[in-house]
Amino acid sequence: MKVLFQGLRRVNRDEAFLLASPATRVMVREVLLLRGTTPLVFAHTVFAAGGLRGAWRGIAGLGTRPLGAALFADPRIARFPLRQKKLPRTHPLFRRAAAQLKKMPSPLWARRSIFAAGKSPILVSEVFLPAINDL
């Protein structure tokens, strides 16, 4: 796994439902899941910055450890159903995922799910990169 970004950023338009205001800056963590040096999945996690003082305070210290291990280890965290979507080339996640590849991919598919600890939701999106088809 390679951490690409972790910090404050403006929320993507299709993620704004998670927050009170679409203009709000959110905490974002983006990582690339690799098989050797081959990128397989671009993962994008979003939560309210106030969550660093609450339910999600451990995320800031994950470093290169996977978020999934932390989410599934805590029985108090509820996971909502997965949703999937074919990302258009204009979508911010398509552009950031494609930037990790040597050539522009054909359409990319993504899935996302909301996890909740109390009243603090976290949105996890995973963009599947072309090499995942080789597994």
Side-chain angles (χ1 to χ4, degrees):
M1 181 175 72
K2 178 181 177 184
V3 177
L4 301 172
F5 177 82
Q6 184 165 314
L8 292 174
R9 188 182 276 162
R10 189 174 299 264
V11 68
N12 290 333
R13 184 176 299 150
D14 64 340
E15 299 167 340
F17 71 91
L18 196 63
L19 306 159
S21 166
T24 303
R25 292 176 63 86
V26 294
M27 187 60 154
V28 173
R29 175 178 161 93
E30 292 179 341
V31 300
L32 198 57
L33 305 179
L34 307 162
R35 180 179 186 197
T37 59
T38 304
L40 299 175
V41 177
F42 173 81
H44 171 85
T45 303
V46 175
F47 59 98
L52 283 176
R53 293 183 300 276
W56 308 113
R57 65 184 164 272
I59 291 176
L62 279 176
T64 58
R65 289 177 291 145
L67 173 64
L71 291 175
F72 294 113
D74 189 339
R76 297 171 297 166
I77 296 175
R79 182 180 193 177
F80 291 80
L82 287 167
R83 305 202 61 137
Q84 60 278 339
K85 179 180 182 173
K86 182 178 171 182
L87 294 178
R89 289 178 182 240
T90 56
H91 194 283
L93 293 184
F94 182 101
R95 291 195 310 268
R96 289 204 289 278
Q100 305 306 312
L101 303 172
K102 292 178 182 169
K103 66 178 192 169
M104 180 62 74
S106 56
L108 293 174
W109 283 87
R111 71 178 184 183
R112 71 172 31 157
S113 186
I114 295 173
F115 293 82
K119 294 184 179 184
S120 299
I122 187 171
L123 180 65
V124 178
S125 300
E126 299 163 297
V127 180
F128 299 100
L129 304 175
I132 202 154
N133 294 323
D134 298 336
L135 295 180

PDB file of all heavy atoms in Angstrom, residues 77-113:
ATOM      1  N   ILE A  77     -18.573  -0.397  14.867  1.00  0.00           N
ATOM      2  CA  ILE A  77     -18.673   0.287  13.579  1.00  0.00           C
ATOM      3  C   ILE A  77     -19.660  -0.469  12.693  1.00  0.00           C
ATOM      4  O   ILE A  77     -19.506  -1.659  12.449  1.00  0.00           O
ATOM      5  CB  ILE A  77     -17.291   0.390  12.900  1.00  0.00           C
ATOM      6  CG1 ILE A  77     -16.365   1.258  13.747  1.00  0.00           C
ATOM      7  CG2 ILE A  77     -17.432   0.958  11.486  1.00  0.00           C
ATOM      8  CD1 ILE A  77     -14.942   1.334  13.252  1.00  0.00           C
ATOM      9  N   ALA A  78     -20.671   0.239  12.224  1.00  0.00           N
ATOM     10  CA  ALA A  78     -21.682  -0.341  11.339  1.00  0.00           C
ATOM     11  C   ALA A  78     -21.329  -0.022   9.891  1.00  0.00           C
ATOM     12  O   ALA A  78     -20.881   1.087   9.588  1.00  0.00           O
ATOM     13  CB  ALA A  78     -23.054   0.232  11.673  1.00  0.00           C
ATOM     14  N   ARG A  79     -21.533  -0.992   9.010  1.00  0.00           N
ATOM     15  CA  ARG A  79     -21.299  -0.781   7.583  1.00  0.00           C
ATOM     16  C   ARG A  79     -22.633  -0.800   6.854  1.00  0.00           C
ATOM     17  O   ARG A  79     -23.443  -1.699   7.030  1.00  0.00           O
ATOM     18  CB  ARG A  79     -20.398  -1.866   7.018  1.00  0.00           C
ATOM     19  CG  ARG A  79     -20.090  -1.640   5.548  1.00  0.00           C
ATOM     20  CD  ARG A  79     -19.204  -2.707   4.995  1.00  0.00           C
ATOM     21  NE  ARG A  79     -18.692  -2.297   3.695  1.00  0.00           N
ATOM     22  CZ  ARG A  79     -17.835  -2.995   2.985  1.00  0.00           C
ATOM     23  NH1 ARG A  79     -17.380  -4.144   3.458  1.00  0.00           N
ATOM     24  NH2 ARG A  79     -17.429  -2.578   1.824  1.00  0.00           N
ATOM     25  N   PHE A  80     -22.836   0.211   6.024  1.00  0.00           N
ATOM     26  CA  PHE A  80     -24.042   0.292   5.222  1.00  0.00           C
ATOM     27  C   PHE A  80     -23.794  -0.400   3.878  1.00  0.00           C
ATOM     28  O   PHE A  80     -22.644  -0.662   3.521  1.00  0.00           O
ATOM     29  CB  PHE A  80     -24.450   1.755   5.054  1.00  0.00           C
ATOM     30  CG  PHE A  80     -24.935   2.352   6.346  1.00  0.00           C
ATOM     31  CD1 PHE A  80     -24.029   2.798   7.312  1.00  0.00           C
ATOM     32  CD2 PHE A  80     -26.291   2.425   6.621  1.00  0.00           C
ATOM     33  CE1 PHE A  80     -24.472   3.318   8.520  1.00  0.00           C
ATOM     34  CE2 PHE A  80     -26.738   2.952   7.826  1.00  0.00           C
ATOM     35  CZ  PHE A  80     -25.823   3.395   8.785  1.00  0.00           C
ATOM     36  N   PRO A  81     -24.835  -0.696   3.126  1.00  0.00           N
ATOM     37  CA  PRO A  81     -24.670  -1.450   1.866  1.00  0.00           C
ATOM     38  C   PRO A  81     -23.722  -0.776   0.876  1.00  0.00           C
ATOM     39  O   PRO A  81     -23.634   0.452   0.811  1.00  0.00           O
ATOM     40  CB  PRO A  81     -26.091  -1.508   1.295  1.00  0.00           C
ATOM     41  CG  PRO A  81     -26.980  -1.348   2.474  1.00  0.00           C
ATOM     42  CD  PRO A  81     -26.242  -0.430   3.414  1.00  0.00           C
ATOM     43  N   LEU A  82     -23.044  -1.613   0.113  1.00  0.00           N
ATOM     44  CA  LEU A  82     -22.159  -1.141  -0.946  1.00  0.00           C
ATOM     45  C   LEU A  82     -22.988  -0.613  -2.111  1.00  0.00           C
ATOM     46  O   LEU A  82     -24.065  -1.124  -2.406  1.00  0.00           O
ATOM     47  CB  LEU A  82     -21.294  -2.297  -1.465  1.00  0.00           C
ATOM     48  CG  LEU A  82     -20.176  -2.766  -0.563  1.00  0.00           C
ATOM     49  CD1 LEU A  82     -19.636  -4.095  -1.046  1.00  0.00           C
ATOM     50  CD2 LEU A  82     -19.065  -1.730  -0.523  1.00  0.00           C
ATOM     51  N   ARG A  83     -22.450   0.396  -2.756  1.00  0.00           N
ATOM     52  CA  ARG A  83     -23.042   0.924  -3.989  1.00  0.00           C
ATOM     53  C   ARG A  83     -21.928   0.941  -5.023  1.00  0.00           C
ATOM     54  O   ARG A  83     -20.775   1.177  -4.672  1.00  0.00           O
ATOM     55  CB  ARG A  83     -23.589   2.321  -3.759  1.00  0.00           C
ATOM     56  CG  ARG A  83     -24.584   2.309  -2.596  1.00  0.00           C
ATOM     57  CD  ARG A  83     -25.495   3.403  -2.609  1.00  0.00           C
ATOM     58  NE  ARG A  83     -26.317   3.408  -3.796  1.00  0.00           N
ATOM     59  CZ  ARG A  83     -27.612   3.650  -3.767  1.00  0.00           C
ATOM     60  NH1 ARG A  83     -28.204   3.845  -2.637  1.00  0.00           N
ATOM     61  NH2 ARG A  83     -28.306   3.706  -4.887  1.00  0.00           N
ATOM     62  N   GLN A  84     -22.259   0.711  -6.259  1.00  0.00           N
ATOM     63  CA  GLN A  84     -21.248   0.725  -7.311  1.00  0.00           C
ATOM     64  C   GLN A  84     -21.650   1.683  -8.418  1.00  0.00           C
ATOM     65  O   GLN A  84     -22.821   1.996  -8.587  1.00  0.00           O
ATOM     66  CB  GLN A  84     -20.979  -0.673  -7.868  1.00  0.00           C
ATOM     67  CG  GLN A  84     -22.160  -1.367  -8.485  1.00  0.00           C
ATOM     68  CD  GLN A  84     -23.054  -2.027  -7.450  1.00  0.00           C
ATOM     69  OE1 GLN A  84     -22.634  -2.302  -6.345  1.00  0.00           O
ATOM     70  NE2 GLN A  84     -24.299  -2.250  -7.807  1.00  0.00           N
ATOM     71  N   LYS A  85     -20.619   2.126  -9.174  1.00  0.00           N
ATOM     72  CA  LYS A  85     -20.870   3.118 -10.219  1.00  0.00           C
ATOM     73  C   LYS A  85     -19.739   3.065 -11.239  1.00  0.00           C
ATOM     74  O   LYS A  85     -18.572   2.895 -10.887  1.00  0.00           O
ATOM     75  CB  LYS A  85     -20.924   4.510  -9.591  1.00  0.00           C
ATOM     76  CG  LYS A  85     -21.155   5.629 -10.571  1.00  0.00           C
ATOM     77  CD  LYS A  85     -21.192   6.981  -9.878  1.00  0.00           C
ATOM     78  CE  LYS A  85     -21.466   8.075 -10.877  1.00  0.00           C
ATOM     79  NZ  LYS A  85     -21.673   9.349 -10.246  1.00  0.00           N
ATOM     80  N   LYS A  86     -20.110   3.231 -12.484  1.00  0.00           N
ATOM     81  CA  LYS A  86     -19.128   3.417 -13.551  1.00  0.00           C
ATOM     82  C   LYS A  86     -18.760   4.895 -13.530  1.00  0.00           C
ATOM     83  O   LYS A  86     -19.626   5.763 -13.667  1.00  0.00           O
ATOM     84  CB  LYS A  86     -19.749   3.023 -14.885  1.00  0.00           C
ATOM     85  CG  LYS A  86     -18.825   3.122 -16.052  1.00  0.00           C
ATOM     86  CD  LYS A  86     -19.572   2.641 -17.297  1.00  0.00           C
ATOM     87  CE  LYS A  86     -18.799   2.905 -18.541  1.00  0.00           C
ATOM     88  NZ  LYS A  86     -19.547   2.475 -19.733  1.00  0.00           N
ATOM     89  N   LEU A  87     -17.490   5.198 -13.322  1.00  0.00           N
ATOM     90  CA  LEU A  87     -17.064   6.595 -13.200  1.00  0.00           C
ATOM     91  C   LEU A  87     -16.823   7.218 -14.573  1.00  0.00           C
ATOM     92  O   LEU A  87     -16.083   6.664 -15.383  1.00  0.00           O
ATOM     93  CB  LEU A  87     -15.761   6.693 -12.397  1.00  0.00           C
ATOM     94  CG  LEU A  87     -15.809   6.306 -10.933  1.00  0.00           C
ATOM     95  CD1 LEU A  87     -14.418   6.420 -10.324  1.00  0.00           C
ATOM     96  CD2 LEU A  87     -16.792   7.169 -10.175  1.00  0.00           C
ATOM     97  N   PRO A  88     -17.398   8.376 -14.829  1.00  0.00           N
ATOM     98  CA  PRO A  88     -17.059   9.085 -16.068  1.00  0.00           C
ATOM     99  C   PRO A  88     -15.651   9.678 -15.947  1.00  0.00           C
ATOM    100  O   PRO A  88     -15.157   9.932 -14.849  1.00  0.00           O
ATOM    101  CB  PRO A  88     -18.124  10.181 -16.149  1.00  0.00           C
ATOM    102  CG  PRO A  88     -18.571  10.387 -14.745  1.00  0.00           C
ATOM    103  CD  PRO A  88     -18.403   9.071 -14.035  1.00  0.00           C
ATOM    104  N   ARG A  89     -15.034   9.924 -17.073  1.00  0.00           N
ATOM    105  CA  ARG A  89     -13.669  10.485 -17.076  1.00  0.00           C
ATOM    106  C   ARG A  89     -13.590  11.848 -16.404  1.00  0.00           C
ATOM    107  O   ARG A  89     -12.527  12.287 -16.010  1.00  0.00           O
ATOM    108  CB  ARG A  89     -13.146  10.590 -18.501  1.00  0.00           C
ATOM    109  CG  ARG A  89     -12.834   9.253 -19.111  1.00  0.00           C
ATOM    110  CD  ARG A  89     -12.352   9.405 -20.540  1.00  0.00           C
ATOM    111  NE  ARG A  89     -12.106   8.092 -21.103  1.00  0.00           N
ATOM    112  CZ  ARG A  89     -10.917   7.707 -21.558  1.00  0.00           C
ATOM    113  NH1 ARG A  89      -9.909   8.541 -21.576  1.00  0.00           N
ATOM    114  NH2 ARG A  89     -10.764   6.496 -22.030  1.00  0.00           N
ATOM    115  N   THR A  90     -14.719  12.530 -16.272  1.00  0.00           N
ATOM    116  CA  THR A  90     -14.743  13.856 -15.661  1.00  0.00           C
ATOM    117  C   THR A  90     -14.817  13.795 -14.135  1.00  0.00           C
ATOM    118  O   THR A  90     -14.650  14.824 -13.480  1.00  0.00           O
ATOM    119  CB  THR A  90     -15.942  14.657 -16.175  1.00  0.00           C
ATOM    120  OG1 THR A  90     -17.143  13.914 -15.910  1.00  0.00           O
ATOM    121  CG2 THR A  90     -15.829  14.927 -17.668  1.00  0.00           C
ATOM    122  N   HIS A  91     -15.067  12.642 -13.584  1.00  0.00           N
ATOM    123  CA  HIS A  91     -15.205  12.525 -12.121  1.00  0.00           C
ATOM    124  C   HIS A  91     -13.832  12.707 -11.464  1.00  0.00           C
ATOM    125  O   HIS A  91     -12.828  12.184 -11.938  1.00  0.00           O
ATOM    126  CB  HIS A  91     -15.790  11.156 -11.763  1.00  0.00           C
ATOM    127  CG  HIS A  91     -16.273  11.085 -10.354  1.00  0.00           C
ATOM    128  ND1 HIS A  91     -15.416  10.951  -9.282  1.00  0.00           N
ATOM    129  CD2 HIS A  91     -17.524  11.141  -9.839  1.00  0.00           C
ATOM    130  CE1 HIS A  91     -16.125  10.930  -8.166  1.00  0.00           C
ATOM    131  NE2 HIS A  91     -17.401  11.042  -8.473  1.00  0.00           N
ATOM    132  N   PRO A  92     -13.766  13.452 -10.371  1.00  0.00           N
ATOM    133  CA  PRO A  92     -12.482  13.682  -9.696  1.00  0.00           C
ATOM    134  C   PRO A  92     -11.761  12.390  -9.293  1.00  0.00           C
ATOM    135  O   PRO A  92     -10.536  12.319  -9.376  1.00  0.00           O
ATOM    136  CB  PRO A  92     -12.852  14.490  -8.453  1.00  0.00           C
ATOM    137  CG  PRO A  92     -14.177  15.088  -8.750  1.00  0.00           C
ATOM    138  CD  PRO A  92     -14.863  14.172  -9.712  1.00  0.00           C
ATOM    139  N   LEU A  93     -12.498  11.373  -8.883  1.00  0.00           N
ATOM    140  CA  LEU A  93     -11.841  10.120  -8.497  1.00  0.00           C
ATOM    141  C   LEU A  93     -11.273   9.387  -9.713  1.00  0.00           C
ATOM    142  O   LEU A  93     -10.218   8.767  -9.623  1.00  0.00           O
ATOM    143  CB  LEU A  93     -12.799   9.208  -7.723  1.00  0.00           C
ATOM    144  CG  LEU A  93     -13.225   9.719  -6.355  1.00  0.00           C
ATOM    145  CD1 LEU A  93     -14.099   8.681  -5.648  1.00  0.00           C
ATOM    146  CD2 LEU A  93     -12.034  10.088  -5.491  1.00  0.00           C
ATOM    147  N   PHE A  94     -11.950   9.465 -10.845  1.00  0.00           N
ATOM    148  CA  PHE A  94     -11.407   8.881 -12.076  1.00  0.00           C
ATOM    149  C   PHE A  94     -10.073   9.547 -12.398  1.00  0.00           C
ATOM    150  O   PHE A  94      -9.082   8.875 -12.663  1.00  0.00           O
ATOM    151  CB  PHE A  94     -12.383   9.044 -13.246  1.00  0.00           C
ATOM    152  CG  PHE A  94     -11.882   8.412 -14.527  1.00  0.00           C
ATOM    153  CD1 PHE A  94     -12.365   7.181 -14.931  1.00  0.00           C
ATOM    154  CD2 PHE A  94     -10.928   9.042 -15.314  1.00  0.00           C
ATOM    155  CE1 PHE A  94     -11.902   6.590 -16.107  1.00  0.00           C
ATOM    156  CE2 PHE A  94     -10.452   8.470 -16.479  1.00  0.00           C
ATOM    157  CZ  PHE A  94     -10.941   7.228 -16.882  1.00  0.00           C
ATOM    158  N   ARG A  95     -10.066  10.891 -12.353  1.00  0.00           N
ATOM    159  CA  ARG A  95      -8.848  11.621 -12.715  1.00  0.00           C
ATOM    160  C   ARG A  95      -7.695  11.298 -11.767  1.00  0.00           C
ATOM    161  O   ARG A  95      -6.560  11.103 -12.200  1.00  0.00           O
ATOM    162  CB  ARG A  95      -9.129  13.128 -12.751  1.00  0.00           C
ATOM    163  CG  ARG A  95     -10.040  13.516 -13.919  1.00  0.00           C
ATOM    164  CD  ARG A  95     -10.049  15.013 -14.185  1.00  0.00           C
ATOM    165  NE  ARG A  95     -10.286  15.834 -13.022  1.00  0.00           N
ATOM    166  CZ  ARG A  95     -11.483  16.253 -12.613  1.00  0.00           C
ATOM    167  NH1 ARG A  95     -12.565  15.917 -13.285  1.00  0.00           N
ATOM    168  NH2 ARG A  95     -11.605  17.011 -11.551  1.00  0.00           N
ATOM    169  N   ARG A  96      -7.974  11.236 -10.456  1.00  0.00           N
ATOM    170  CA  ARG A  96      -6.898  10.958  -9.504  1.00  0.00           C
ATOM    171  C   ARG A  96      -6.426   9.512  -9.607  1.00  0.00           C
ATOM    172  O   ARG A  96      -5.237   9.236  -9.463  1.00  0.00           O
ATOM    173  CB  ARG A  96      -7.327  11.322  -8.089  1.00  0.00           C
ATOM    174  CG  ARG A  96      -7.418  12.840  -7.922  1.00  0.00           C
ATOM    175  CD  ARG A  96      -7.275  13.307  -6.509  1.00  0.00           C
ATOM    176  NE  ARG A  96      -8.373  13.019  -5.631  1.00  0.00           N
ATOM    177  CZ  ARG A  96      -9.499  13.728  -5.538  1.00  0.00           C
ATOM    178  NH1 ARG A  96      -9.684  14.780  -6.308  1.00  0.00           N
ATOM    179  NH2 ARG A  96     -10.423  13.405  -4.676  1.00  0.00           N
ATOM    180  N   ALA A  97      -7.335   8.590  -9.862  1.00  0.00           N
ATOM    181  CA  ALA A  97      -6.947   7.188 -10.031  1.00  0.00           C
ATOM    182  C   ALA A  97      -6.147   7.009 -11.315  1.00  0.00           C
ATOM    183  O   ALA A  97      -5.110   6.347 -11.319  1.00  0.00           O
ATOM    184  CB  ALA A  97      -8.188   6.298 -10.032  1.00  0.00           C
ATOM    185  N   ALA A  98      -6.620   7.598 -12.403  1.00  0.00           N
ATOM    186  CA  ALA A  98      -5.943   7.470 -13.696  1.00  0.00           C
ATOM    187  C   ALA A  98      -4.541   8.078 -13.662  1.00  0.00           C
ATOM    188  O   ALA A  98      -3.645   7.615 -14.366  1.00  0.00           O
ATOM    189  CB  ALA A  98      -6.778   8.119 -14.796  1.00  0.00           C
ATOM    190  N   ALA A  99      -4.330   9.082 -12.825  1.00  0.00           N
ATOM    191  CA  ALA A  99      -3.004   9.702 -12.705  1.00  0.00           C
ATOM    192  C   ALA A  99      -1.967   8.723 -12.168  1.00  0.00           C
ATOM    193  O   ALA A  99      -0.767   8.946 -12.314  1.00  0.00           O
ATOM    194  CB  ALA A  99      -3.081  10.936 -11.809  1.00  0.00           C
ATOM    195  N   GLN A 100      -2.415   7.626 -11.581  1.00  0.00           N
ATOM    196  CA  GLN A 100      -1.495   6.626 -11.026  1.00  0.00           C
ATOM    197  C   GLN A 100      -1.096   5.572 -12.062  1.00  0.00           C
ATOM    198  O   GLN A 100      -0.304   4.686 -11.773  1.00  0.00           O
ATOM    199  CB  GLN A 100      -2.138   5.926  -9.821  1.00  0.00           C
ATOM    200  CG  GLN A 100      -2.606   6.864  -8.741  1.00  0.00           C
ATOM    201  CD  GLN A 100      -1.509   7.805  -8.263  1.00  0.00           C
ATOM    202  OE1 GLN A 100      -0.399   7.371  -7.988  1.00  0.00           O
ATOM    203  NE2 GLN A 100      -1.819   9.077  -8.174  1.00  0.00           N
ATOM    204  N   LEU A 101      -1.652   5.671 -13.262  1.00  0.00           N
ATOM    205  CA  LEU A 101      -1.426   4.664 -14.299  1.00  0.00           C
ATOM    206  C   LEU A 101      -0.559   5.218 -15.424  1.00  0.00           C
ATOM    207  O   LEU A 101      -0.516   6.429 -15.642  1.00  0.00           O
ATOM    208  CB  LEU A 101      -2.773   4.202 -14.864  1.00  0.00           C
ATOM    209  CG  LEU A 101      -3.748   3.646 -13.826  1.00  0.00           C
ATOM    210  CD1 LEU A 101      -5.105   3.397 -14.468  1.00  0.00           C
ATOM    211  CD2 LEU A 101      -3.186   2.376 -13.201  1.00  0.00           C
ATOM    212  N   LYS A 102       0.082   4.320 -16.159  1.00  0.00           N
ATOM    213  CA  LYS A 102       0.946   4.741 -17.262  1.00  0.00           C
ATOM    214  C   LYS A 102       0.156   5.177 -18.480  1.00  0.00           C
ATOM    215  O   LYS A 102       0.616   5.996 -19.260  1.00  0.00           O
ATOM    216  CB  LYS A 102       1.905   3.605 -17.624  1.00  0.00           C
ATOM    217  CG  LYS A 102       2.908   3.332 -16.539  1.00  0.00           C
ATOM    218  CD  LYS A 102       3.818   2.192 -16.880  1.00  0.00           C
ATOM    219  CE  LYS A 102       4.766   1.957 -15.700  1.00  0.00           C
ATOM    220  NZ  LYS A 102       5.506   0.744 -15.822  1.00  0.00           N
ATOM    221  N   LYS A 103      -1.031   4.592 -18.687  1.00  0.00           N
ATOM    222  CA  LYS A 103      -1.861   5.011 -19.811  1.00  0.00           C
ATOM    223  C   LYS A 103      -3.295   5.205 -19.344  1.00  0.00           C
ATOM    224  O   LYS A 103      -3.724   4.621 -18.354  1.00  0.00           O
ATOM    225  CB  LYS A 103      -1.785   4.011 -20.967  1.00  0.00           C
ATOM    226  CG  LYS A 103      -2.362   2.668 -20.680  1.00  0.00           C
ATOM    227  CD  LYS A 103      -2.268   1.787 -21.923  1.00  0.00           C
ATOM    228  CE  LYS A 103      -3.107   0.535 -21.719  1.00  0.00           C
ATOM    229  NZ  LYS A 103      -3.282  -0.223 -22.921  1.00  0.00           N
ATOM    230  N   MET A 104      -4.022   6.038 -20.079  1.00  0.00           N
ATOM    231  CA  MET A 104      -5.405   6.357 -19.725  1.00  0.00           C
ATOM    232  C   MET A 104      -6.248   5.090 -19.813  1.00  0.00           C
ATOM    233  O   MET A 104      -6.251   4.428 -20.839  1.00  0.00           O
ATOM    234  CB  MET A 104      -5.948   7.434 -20.666  1.00  0.00           C
ATOM    235  CG  MET A 104      -7.375   7.843 -20.385  1.00  0.00           C
ATOM    236  SD  MET A 104      -7.653   8.575 -18.767  1.00  0.00           S
ATOM    237  CE  MET A 104      -6.915  10.177 -18.988  1.00  0.00           C
ATOM    238  N   PRO A 105      -6.946   4.758 -18.743  1.00  0.00           N
ATOM    239  CA  PRO A 105      -7.750   3.536 -18.763  1.00  0.00           C
ATOM    240  C   PRO A 105      -9.082   3.749 -19.472  1.00  0.00           C
ATOM    241  O   PRO A 105      -9.530   4.867 -19.676  1.00  0.00           O
ATOM    242  CB  PRO A 105      -7.991   3.263 -17.273  1.00  0.00           C
ATOM    243  CG  PRO A 105      -7.971   4.620 -16.654  1.00  0.00           C
ATOM    244  CD  PRO A 105      -6.969   5.415 -17.453  1.00  0.00           C
ATOM    245  N   SER A 106      -9.686   2.631 -19.845  1.00  0.00           N
ATOM    246  CA  SER A 106     -11.062   2.677 -20.317  1.00  0.00           C
ATOM    247  C   SER A 106     -11.911   2.952 -19.075  1.00  0.00           C
ATOM    248  O   SER A 106     -11.366   3.189 -18.007  1.00  0.00           O
ATOM    249  CB  SER A 106     -11.421   1.352 -20.975  1.00  0.00           C
ATOM    250  OG  SER A 106     -11.206   0.288 -20.064  1.00  0.00           O
ATOM    251  N   PRO A 107     -13.192   2.906 -19.166  1.00  0.00           N
ATOM    252  CA  PRO A 107     -13.985   3.258 -17.973  1.00  0.00           C
ATOM    253  C   PRO A 107     -13.514   2.516 -16.721  1.00  0.00           C
ATOM    254  O   PRO A 107     -13.071   1.377 -16.786  1.00  0.00           O
ATOM    255  CB  PRO A 107     -15.394   2.831 -18.361  1.00  0.00           C
ATOM    256  CG  PRO A 107     -15.402   2.878 -19.846  1.00  0.00           C
ATOM    257  CD  PRO A 107     -14.020   2.503 -20.280  1.00  0.00           C
ATOM    258  N   LEU A 108     -13.616   3.217 -15.614  1.00  0.00           N
ATOM    259  CA  LEU A 108     -13.271   2.630 -14.319  1.00  0.00           C
ATOM    260  C   LEU A 108     -14.539   2.457 -13.499  1.00  0.00           C
ATOM    261  O   LEU A 108     -15.432   3.307 -13.539  1.00  0.00           O
ATOM    262  CB  LEU A 108     -12.290   3.535 -13.560  1.00  0.00           C
ATOM    263  CG  LEU A 108     -10.903   3.687 -14.159  1.00  0.00           C
ATOM    264  CD1 LEU A 108     -10.103   4.717 -13.367  1.00  0.00           C
ATOM    265  CD2 LEU A 108     -10.175   2.358 -14.197  1.00  0.00           C
ATOM    266  N   TRP A 109     -14.581   1.380 -12.762  1.00  0.00           N
ATOM    267  CA  TRP A 109     -15.698   1.112 -11.864  1.00  0.00           C
ATOM    268  C   TRP A 109     -15.260   1.365 -10.438  1.00  0.00           C
ATOM    269  O   TRP A 109     -14.102   1.129 -10.079  1.00  0.00           O
ATOM    270  CB  TRP A 109     -16.168  -0.328 -12.012  1.00  0.00           C
ATOM    271  CG  TRP A 109     -16.981  -0.525 -13.245  1.00  0.00           C
ATOM    272  CD1 TRP A 109     -16.505  -0.820 -14.501  1.00  0.00           C
ATOM    273  CD2 TRP A 109     -18.382  -0.403 -13.371  1.00  0.00           C
ATOM    274  NE1 TRP A 109     -17.547  -0.890 -15.395  1.00  0.00           N
ATOM    275  CE2 TRP A 109     -18.715  -0.650 -14.725  1.00  0.00           C
ATOM    276  CE3 TRP A 109     -19.407  -0.120 -12.470  1.00  0.00           C
ATOM    277  CZ2 TRP A 109     -20.017  -0.610 -15.193  1.00  0.00           C
ATOM    278  CZ3 TRP A 109     -20.712  -0.091 -12.940  1.00  0.00           C
ATOM    279  CH2 TRP A 109     -21.007  -0.333 -14.279  1.00  0.00           C
ATOM    280  N   ALA A 110     -16.197   1.839  -9.635  1.00  0.00           N
ATOM    281  CA  ALA A 110     -15.906   2.114  -8.227  1.00  0.00           C
ATOM    282  C   ALA A 110     -17.046   1.574  -7.371  1.00  0.00           C
ATOM    283  O   ALA A 110     -18.172   1.393  -7.847  1.00  0.00           O
ATOM    284  CB  ALA A 110     -15.759   3.616  -8.004  1.00  0.00           C
ATOM    285  N   ARG A 111     -16.717   1.334  -6.129  1.00  0.00           N
ATOM    286  CA  ARG A 111     -17.755   1.005  -5.160  1.00  0.00           C
ATOM    287  C   ARG A 111     -17.511   1.874  -3.944  1.00  0.00           C
ATOM    288  O   ARG A 111     -16.387   2.305  -3.691  1.00  0.00           O
ATOM    289  CB  ARG A 111     -17.753  -0.477  -4.789  1.00  0.00           C
ATOM    290  CG  ARG A 111     -16.577  -0.905  -3.950  1.00  0.00           C
ATOM    291  CD  ARG A 111     -16.671  -2.367  -3.588  1.00  0.00           C
ATOM    292  NE  ARG A 111     -15.571  -2.724  -2.695  1.00  0.00           N
ATOM    293  CZ  ARG A 111     -15.356  -3.945  -2.264  1.00  0.00           C
ATOM    294  NH1 ARG A 111     -16.152  -4.925  -2.636  1.00  0.00           N
ATOM    295  NH2 ARG A 111     -14.350  -4.192  -1.465  1.00  0.00           N
ATOM    296  N   ARG A 112     -18.582   2.121  -3.205  1.00  0.00           N
ATOM    297  CA  ARG A 112     -18.435   2.922  -1.992  1.00  0.00           C
ATOM    298  C   ARG A 112     -19.397   2.423  -0.941  1.00  0.00           C
ATOM    299  O   ARG A 112     -20.427   1.843  -1.240  1.00  0.00           O
ATOM    300  CB  ARG A 112     -18.596   4.404  -2.255  1.00  0.00           C
ATOM    301  CG  ARG A 112     -19.962   4.878  -2.585  1.00  0.00           C
ATOM    302  CD  ARG A 112     -20.135   6.397  -2.657  1.00  0.00           C
ATOM    303  NE  ARG A 112     -19.001   7.141  -3.089  1.00  0.00           N
ATOM    304  CZ  ARG A 112     -19.034   8.345  -3.629  1.00  0.00           C
ATOM    305  NH1 ARG A 112     -20.196   8.943  -3.823  1.00  0.00           N
ATOM    306  NH2 ARG A 112     -17.959   8.978  -3.966  1.00  0.00           N
ATOM    307  N   SER A 113     -19.005   2.690   0.293  1.00  0.00           N
ATOM    308  CA  SER A 113     -19.841   2.314   1.416  1.00  0.00           C
ATOM    309  C   SER A 113     -19.634   3.326   2.525  1.00  0.00           C
ATOM    310  O   SER A 113     -18.571   3.931   2.650  1.00  0.00           O
ATOM    311  CB  SER A 113     -19.460   0.914   1.913  1.00  0.00           C
ATOM    312  OG  SER A 113     -20.345   0.484   2.916  1.00  0.00           O
TER     313      SER A 113
END
